[in-house]
Amino acid sequence: MIEINSPIEPLCFKLFKQKQISVYIKRDDKIHPFISGNKWRKLKHTIADAKQKNKTHLVSFGGAYSNHLNALACAGAMFGFKTTAFIRGDEGVSNQMLALNKLWGMEFIYTDRTSYRDKETLFENHFGQDENAYFVNEGGAGILGAKGCQEIVTELTDSYQHIFCAVGTATTLQGIAQAIKDQQLTTKAEGICVLKGAENIDVELQKNQLQDYYKIHHQFHEGGYAKSNPKVMDFITMFASKTGILLDQVYTAKMMMAVFTLAEQDYFEPNSKILCIHTGGLLGLLGVLK
Ligand SMILES: *Cc1c(COP(=O)(O)O)cnc(C)c1O
């Protein structure tokens, strides 16, 4: 298996000092160069479950820049699975991230946007007869995914008032909130939603009665999912040049920008300790760097 327990590093910025807060970053991006961040946490129990059920073929779903598919392709190769991905988009869509997946042996099935919506049916139509095939939800979402993300909290040795992560499917936030609840911590899980108009993204969290343990911020998506702008790119450059830490433009930069903005707005009590989860995803930079 892959060693997790990722390191925590302090972030030293004048703003944080002025506001008398301590901000740390948990480097889940260091878990693995390709099976990075929350994607390994989300896959860990899923892959164990597939192995236990003697499945040999992992089938999943994603867009052309899916960090989840990179993680799945690499992890699949590492743990002896064949991998197939339904790619949302036209036949022949290609880019460096998809090309990497091919090196790990992943096969693609290009799927138009309408059929892509019904993933169960796609799986059933293509692999219903293949008893070796195992369905892995888009983004690694689901119960087993959230279970792996609980370890973000259970492996901590210090306590924090706030733990921040980016929110796509909200599986990572769910794991964090669940662990906070189970351990009866006073920590608040804070999700920065990177999708526009996704006010219902937390149905699973509500179902699991986690509402007292998290908050989702919906004002930091910077235009919507995978939408970037010069402000985001400037922030990435500023942050990288001051810390050496790279952020991706889809998730982690928006999460980190939000923490800076909230600090400016005095959202945090003085003496607060804040932990930001670097959920990885750095290959996504390949989509925008020129
Ligand atoms: C997938 C991803 C997320 C979103 O995680 P969810 O569990 O789907 O909310 C956050 N950050 C990065 C870097 C990702 O690749």
Side-chain angles (χ1 to χ4, degrees):
M1 276 288 163
I2 300 167
E3 187 56 45
I4 296 197
N5 224 325
S6 61
I8 291 176
E9 299 164 2
L11 290 175
C12 304
F13 282 88
K14 227 189 283 166
L15 171 68
F16 300 154
K17 213 174 159 192
Q18 269 166 16
K19 302 289 181 183
Q20 295 171 279
I21 56 177
S22 318
V23 183
Y24 299 84
I25 188 163
K26 185 163 171 61
R27 300 291 307 274
D28 272 15
D29 57 314
K30 290 190 175 181
I31 289 174
H32 189 277
F34 306 111
I35 315 173
S36 86
N38 62 349
K39 297 304 182 282
W40 171 243
R41 294 191 186 274
K42 292 201 272 186
L43 279 176
K44 182 178 148 175
H45 294 289
T46 304
I47 285 184
D49 186 54
K51 271 253 186 283
Q52 200 248 325
K53 292 177 172 147
N54 291 317
K55 305 288 185 182
T56 54
H57 181 191
L58 304 174
V59 178
S60 198
F61 310 83
Y65 287 97
S66 166
N67 294 323
H68 162 67
L69 290 184
N70 279 129
L72 189 82
C74 183
M78 201 170 195
F79 298 108
F81 292 91
K82 175 178 155 64
T83 54
T84 301
F86 288 93
I87 308 290
R88 185 185 61 230
D90 296 330
E91 194 73 41
V93 167
S94 192
N95 62 43
Q96 291 165 309
M97 281 175 78
L98 286 179
L100 269 174
N101 293 345
K102 281 195 203 157
L103 299 183
W104 290 305
M106 181 174 259
E107 289 177 14
F108 302 148
I109 302 173
Y110 290 96
T111 313
D112 66 76
R113 280 166 196 273
T114 317
S115 0
Y116 185 84
R117 277 189 211 123
D118 188 353
K119 301 183 180 59
E120 307 279 349
T121 301
L122 279 175
F123 182 82
E124 202 46 47
N125 289 348
H126 285 80
F127 302 106
Q129 308 300 322
D130 177 358
E131 57 184 37
N132 295 317
Y134 183 91
F135 178 98
V136 181
N137 213 342
E138 181 176 39
I143 290 222
L144 293 175
K147 182 176 165 197
C149 294
Q150 292 190 28
E151 291 169 12
I152 292 172
V153 176
T154 56
E155 66 192 37
L156 298 178
T157 51
D158 253 332
S159 58
Y160 301 87
Q161 276 75 50
H162 309 264
I163 299 181
F164 277 86
C165 71
V167 167
T169 64
T171 309
T172 305
L173 185 71
Q174 184 180 336
I176 294 173
Q178 185 67 54
I180 289 173
K181 181 179 182 181
D182 292 348
Q183 298 197 6
Q184 302 191 327
L185 305 176
T186 53
T187 312
K188 192 96 172 171
E190 313 232 20
I192 303 304
C193 190
V194 302
L195 300 98
K196 190 171 165 179
E199 276 71 22
N200 295 324
I201 195 81
D202 57 347
V203 275
E204 283 303 314
L205 286 94
Q206 303 260 3
K207 262 193 228 158
N208 287 281
Q209 259 117 53
L210 296 172
Q211 46 277 355
D212 294 342
Y213 305 92
Y214 73 90
K215 175 178 171 68
I216 300 186
H217 302 262
H218 287 282
Q219 70 275 39
F220 297 112
H221 56 68
E222 293 293 330
Y225 184 71
K227 296 275 192 301
S228 192
N229 58 46
K231 202 172 115 200
V232 177
M233 296 314 293
D234 287 350
F235 184 84
I236 290 174
T237 308
M238 181 284 290
F239 194 83
S241 64
K242 292 227 177 345
T243 63
I245 301 171
L246 291 177
L247 301 170
D248 81 295
Q249 77 283 6
V250 180
Y251 296 101
T252 51
K254 292 178 183 177
M255 181 275 299
M256 218 48 246
M257 281 172 83
V259 172
F260 276 70
T261 304
L262 290 169
E264 275 160 9
Q265 297 170 347
D266 293 316
Y267 179 78
F268 305 111
E269 302 270 332
N271 302 315
S272 296
K273 269 172 77 182
I274 298 144
L275 184 66
C276 307
I277 311 301
H278 192 316
T279 39
L282 294 174
L283 284 179
L285 282 171
L286 291 176
V288 287
L289 292 184
K290 292 204 186 79

